[in-house]
Structures are given as C-alpha cells and as structure tokens.
Amino acid sequence: MISRLKNGLHYKNPILQEIKQQFAFAFNLGMLCADEITKIYNKALTEDDIAYLTMHIGLALERDVKLSRKTFDRIAIVCTTGKGTSELLKFKIQHSFPNAHYVRTFSLFNKEEILKFEPDIVFSTVPIQVGAYPVEIISPFFTAEDRKKLVVYQRRKDKERLIDRYFSEDLFYGALDAAVKQEAIGQLCSRMDKTGIVPPNLEELCLIRENLASTAFGNWIALVHPIELCSIVTKVGVGILNKRIDWSGLPVKMVFVIAQAKSNEARDLLLFIQEIVHDSSLMLRLCESETFQEFKDILIEGTSSEL
C-alpha cells in the first residue's frame, strides 16, 4: 500500500460499503492509521485504501478480544450427593471451563469457607444463598442443558458488565431533536462535556473526523467519534433522534458518540458495538427506546451472537 501511495496508485475496493458496515470500528481505527500515514509520507489515503487496511485491523481485533475475554476463574461447587459425585461434578466443570484456575467443592453447611474463597460463581445442586455471589442450580451430573444455561448466563453477565462500564443514564438522550447531523453531534458532545471526562473541543474534533468520511454505517446508526483519543475514560453517549435525518446520504435515527481513552481497554466495546450495528432488527428496537433502562434491557436481551 505504501508503495502504491508513493506512486499515486489507488485501487477501487468493490466492497467498500460492506466493509464500513461490517467492520465499523475497525474502519474508524483505519481512519486514525490513515491520518498517521499521511503525516509520515505526505500522501492521502482514499476510503478504498482505508477499507483494505480495515480488514487487517478487524482480524487483529477479533483475535485480541477472544484472547482477553473474561471467563470464570474461581468456581465453587456445592453438591449434597456424596464425595464421589462431587468429584465427578468437579471434573466435568473443570473440563467445561478449562480457563478456571480455582475449582473447589464445598459442603452445604460451610458457607463461611465459600465466602472466604470469593468465587466468581457458585454451582449448586440445591438452592443456596452465599452472600451476594451468583448461584446457579445444576444437576449432580452437569448435563448438556446445564452447560448451555451457564454459557447463556456468562454471556449475559458479560453484556451487563460492558453496558454498565461504557454506557450511563446521564449520557443517554432519549428524545434528541435535531434536523441535521451537525446539530445532533453538537447536542451530544455538549452533554458529554458536562461530565468532565472529555476536552472542551470534543465537538470540533468530532466534526474534523466527520469531514474526513461519514460515520453513518447503515442500519440507522452513526458512530461519531473524535479524530484523536482524548477522553479520560472511555464512554459512549447515545442519542435517539425524534425523527430520522439524512446523514451524508444514509438515514440515521440513532447516534453514538464514542469518547475513547488513550488505552486498549475498549477492545471488547468495539466488537460489542460492531455486533449491534450488524443486527438490523435489534437496531429497529433500540431506535424505539425512550429511557436508558429500556435501551439497556433491549441490548441485553437482543444481542444473540457470541461476545
């Protein structure tokens, strides 16, 4: 690509729009890379060039996030059907969750030891309450249905963790009244500015990025973000427009403003948003949410593919 740029050659990318939609966040990172390449070589990249670069970034993101994905690390097992069954159950759970470093069995009548163990989750063959730790009731034989239920449970907790970390009610705009994209960006940036986590020129930085290439990626959403990583912590502002607006040729009903910190902490967020953008039916439901709680509930229940 560098050699082509030096010689003024640019290839058309026949799947440019598909790449922008399917790899929305990777394309955004590609824009940042393109800006650095321009500074170094004094050669501007076209959107087609950036789309080719995006494929490599998208693959790296997928690999990296899968390696860093949170799993159960400390598992407590409560089984009342005898030591033999307990050990068999422990073996099956260790096989199902190979990344767990600590898997221990406990007596039903020894809750104090479970509390000291500080488990990520408690698997029990009988109903039990252990402080505030999550408890899942399973059969003594840990069936395929038990395994499926726990995978669903873990995915749900992962989604809740993501939403609680990066989204918040004070950054949710349930009835955004704007006629053009600049107005929508301005109102959301103003709300984010009140949190004190972004620089006062956030809107300017977002508009600079927007002028380079549209952040509308289809499925009714625009993923607005500044041209540089400038936030103290990574947060997402959300605006649901009262009426859809034309955003550089695409209809938009929902606007995300992503203020990202100068770290790689948001890798899981990037793929989560990418998953949202891909799901057209989920997007339609999200566009109808009026409160942050509605928005959160739809996100938790609606995203179905593996995080």
Side-chain angles (χ1 to χ4, degrees):
M1 184 183 69
I2 299 299
S3 296
R4 289 192 294 100
L5 288 175
K6 288 179 177 179
N7 290 283
L9 298 176
H10 300 278
Y11 292 158
K12 279 289 182 183
N13 194 316
I15 55 171
L16 170 62
Q17 293 306 318
E18 288 84 353
I19 290 174
K20 288 179 68 175
Q21 182 173 341
Q22 296 297 317
F23 298 93
F25 248 103
F27 188 84
N28 290 338
L29 295 178
M31 291 290 296
L32 295 175
C33 290
D35 186 53
E36 294 302 314
I37 291 172
T38 298
K39 291 177 183 177
I40 295 170
Y41 295 99
N42 198 29
K43 298 287 185 179
L45 279 72
T46 65
E47 280 197 333
D48 297 280
D49 295 324
I50 296 169
Y52 284 118
L53 184 60
T54 294
M55 301 306 297
H56 298 282
I57 296 173
L59 178 60
L61 277 174
E62 291 279 359
R63 286 173 172 168
D64 209 18
V65 172
K66 284 181 179 179
L67 288 174
S68 64
R69 197 165 283 155
K70 184 180 183 297
T71 58
F72 298 130
D73 185 53
R74 304 178 69 85
I75 298 175
I77 302 169
V78 177
C79 182
T80 60
T81 56
K83 185 169 180 59
T85 306
S86 296
E87 289 302 314
L88 178 60
L89 183 57
K90 178 181 178 181
F91 173 79
K92 285 188 173 183
I93 288 175
Q94 285 175 321
H95 181 72
S96 297
F97 299 93
N99 291 325
H101 291 99
Y102 306 95
V103 181
R104 285 181 55 187
T105 58
F106 294 89
S107 164
L108 174 64
F109 307 103
N110 203 350
K111 292 184 181 180
E112 291 79 9
E113 288 299 315
I114 302 176
L115 290 171
K116 290 179 183 178
F117 181 60
E118 297 182 342
D120 294 317
I121 190 168
V122 178
F123 296 161
S124 178
T125 59
V126 293
I128 185 177
Q129 183 173 349
V130 185
Y133 293 110
V135 177
E136 281 295 317
I137 308 301
I138 59 175
S139 79
F141 304 101
F142 197 63
T143 63
E145 189 62 31
D146 289 326
R147 168 68 174 140
K148 180 179 178 181
K149 181 174 66 173
L150 289 169
V151 168
V152 171
Y153 167 83
Q154 184 171 351
R155 287 186 53 252
R156 181 185 178 93
K157 298 303 292 185
D158 285 344
K159 286 188 285 186
E160 289 178 349
R161 174 180 57 84
L162 277 171
I163 296 167
D164 290 340
R165 181 174 184 180
Y166 297 115
F167 298 82
S168 57
E169 189 167 5
D170 61 330
L171 294 178
F172 180 82
Y173 215 135
L176 184 58
D177 190 16
V180 294
K181 65 179 182 179
Q182 291 84 352
E183 190 177 353
I185 293 172
Q187 291 188 51
L188 282 170
C189 287
S190 176
R191 177 162 290 200
M192 297 191 78
D193 183 54
K194 294 177 181 177
T195 65
I197 65 170
V198 296
N201 64 335
L202 177 66
E203 180 181 351
E204 178 187 353
L205 295 174
C206 286
L207 290 175
I208 291 173
R209 166 60 184 87
E210 189 68 36
N211 289 333
L212 292 176
S214 173
T215 55
F217 293 93
N219 278 347
W220 303 80
I221 191 170
L223 302 177
V224 177
H225 57 282
I227 191 63
E228 60 188 54
L229 307 180
C230 58
S231 182
I232 296 175
V233 294
T234 299
K235 286 290 183 180
V236 182
V238 180
I240 311 293
L241 289 155
N242 288 328
K243 294 182 180 180
R244 67 183 183 187
I245 61 176
D246 178 86
W247 198 293
S248 301
L250 289 174
V252 165
K253 187 73 164 56
M254 178 182 293
V255 182
F256 281 6
V257 173
I258 304 102
Q260 189 175 340
K262 293 182 179 180
S263 72
N264 60 1
E265 66 168 0
R267 294 169 301 175
D268 49 359
L269 172 66
L270 308 189
L271 288 189
F272 184 52
I273 292 181
Q274 185 168 288
E275 178 185 348
I276 297 168
V277 174
H278 293 175
D279 194 332
S280 56
S281 61
L282 172 64
M283 283 302 307
L284 287 173
R285 284 182 287 142
L286 286 173
C287 286
E288 298 302 317
S289 55
E290 297 180 355
T291 66
F292 177 71
Q293 190 59 51
E294 286 180 17
F295 174 81
K296 180 177 178 178
D297 290 343
I298 293 171
L299 268 186
I300 292 173
E301 299 299 333
T303 47
S304 57
S305 62
E306 183 183 354
L307 279 172

